[in-house]
Amino acid sequence: MDRVIAAVKLFGRHLHKYIALIALCYVPWLFVIKYFAVTGALSAEADDAIVGVLGVFFMPLCNGATVWLNHRHSEGQPASIKESIAISASVWKELITAYISVGLIILGWIAVALIPGGLIMLAFGVKTTTVLIPFAVAAILYVTTRYVFLDFYVVLQKLPGWQARRQCVELSEGRMLPLLFAYLFLAAPLFFSEFAFEYFGMQLEQVTGVPKQIFEGLLAVLSTLFYVIPQIYFYLVYRDIFREPV
């Protein structure tokens, strides 16, 4: 709990920098796309597809910069947004390849996790596939928790993606349960809330009359902003592990 409090305090103390960084990385292109979606120049499918592709492109840049800010802030050292983006850009290729590889690992784990769900469906004659959702969610949570230290190895230790993944697995051994609980409490609600952005956007559109695409963009930016708190928390865990006496 002490680390959670420390993470929240650091987030609040440097909130202006996190807002500026995330706005710089996401707001310009995201709201241009949402504008074209509102005007009908883009279909909902094209909107989602373009946002997804550009999100993959900009996510490593933003995450890497956030890691650098977290590191400097946690050590009580100055850090500028320009510096953090420059550091992140230098390892962008390693980060994006690491993310893609972890995404493929997640798909593999989901495929394996669905096997018992499928057997349950066959055994009990269940027709609805919703019974498979808990198995897929469990696989996603397990893999994402296993690699919560990935960004730190790439950004702070300059390790290539494959080596960073291996180090993450080694570092998480014997710590998976507390890491999983922390991820469930801090990060998972933000991660899975993304699936409800369209629903909330529709509800807000009915109340305010503002197009739902605008609210979807705002919710995406806010979710990214608040995801900084678990990022800070896991950095503090990472830092403290390396400070432990051998």
Side-chain angles (χ1 to χ4, degrees):
M1 185 55 71
D2 289 344
R3 289 196 190 104
V4 174
I5 295 172
V8 172
K9 286 182 177 179
L10 281 170
F11 175 73
R13 190 178 306 145
H14 302 283
L15 180 60
H16 61 289
K17 283 191 177 180
Y18 292 119
I19 291 175
L21 172 63
I22 290 168
L24 185 63
C25 289
Y26 289 106
V27 168
W29 62 266
L30 180 60
F31 282 93
V32 167
I33 294 168
K34 293 302 179 182
Y35 169 78
F36 284 118
V38 169
T39 59
L42 287 175
S43 65
E45 293 76 14
D47 174 15
D48 292 339
I50 296 173
V51 168
V53 170
L54 290 178
V56 170
F57 180 85
F58 280 97
M59 183 171 62
L61 184 67
C62 187
N63 285 355
T66 303
V67 165
W68 184 251
L69 287 179
N70 294 345
H71 167 63
R72 299 288 287 183
H73 294 160
S74 300
E75 302 304 320
Q77 298 173 344
S80 67
I81 294 174
K82 180 180 178 180
E83 176 192 23
S84 67
I85 290 178
I87 293 291
S88 182
S90 70
V91 294
W92 180 88
K93 183 177 70 174
E94 287 75 15
L95 281 173
I96 197 167
T97 54
Y99 290 173
I100 292 171
S101 63
V102 170
L104 294 174
I105 292 171
I106 289 175
L107 291 177
W109 273 90
I110 289 175
V112 172
L114 293 182
I115 294 174
L119 293 175
I120 290 174
M121 291 178 65
L122 289 173
F124 294 95
V126 178
K127 301 299 182 180
T128 176
T129 56
T130 54
V131 71
L132 299 176
I133 293 176
F135 295 93
V137 169
I140 294 170
L141 289 174
Y142 175 77
V143 176
T144 50
T145 302
R146 202 178 190 192
Y147 292 104
V148 291
F149 303 122
L150 183 68
D151 292 346
F152 311 139
Y153 278 112
V154 175
V155 177
L156 303 179
Q157 298 195 27
K158 307 296 184 184
L159 296 184
W162 65 269
Q163 191 174 352
R165 292 198 315 274
R166 187 175 65 185
Q167 293 292 335
C168 282
V169 172
E170 292 178 1
L171 195 63
S172 63
E173 287 181 0
R175 300 184 174 94
M176 275 299 295
L177 196 57
L179 288 175
L180 180 59
F181 281 132
Y183 188 84
L184 283 170
F185 177 68
L186 293 171
L190 294 169
F191 177 81
F192 288 106
S193 70
E194 296 177 10
F195 295 99
F197 285 170
E198 183 176 0
Y199 170 79
F200 286 117
M202 292 174 61
Q203 299 303 311
L204 290 169
E205 181 181 37
Q206 292 176 5
V207 173
T208 65
V210 177
K212 68 182 181 69
Q213 292 89 346
I214 301 300
F215 289 114
E216 289 172 11
L218 288 171
L219 289 170
V221 171
L222 286 174
S223 177
T224 303
L225 176 63
F226 285 110
Y227 196 80
V228 171
I229 295 175
Q231 286 179 311
I232 298 173
Y233 172 85
F234 286 116
Y235 169 75
L236 295 176
V237 174
Y238 167 88
R239 182 195 66 182
D240 291 346
I241 289 172
F242 280 93
R243 288 180 175 177
E244 291 175 357
V246 180

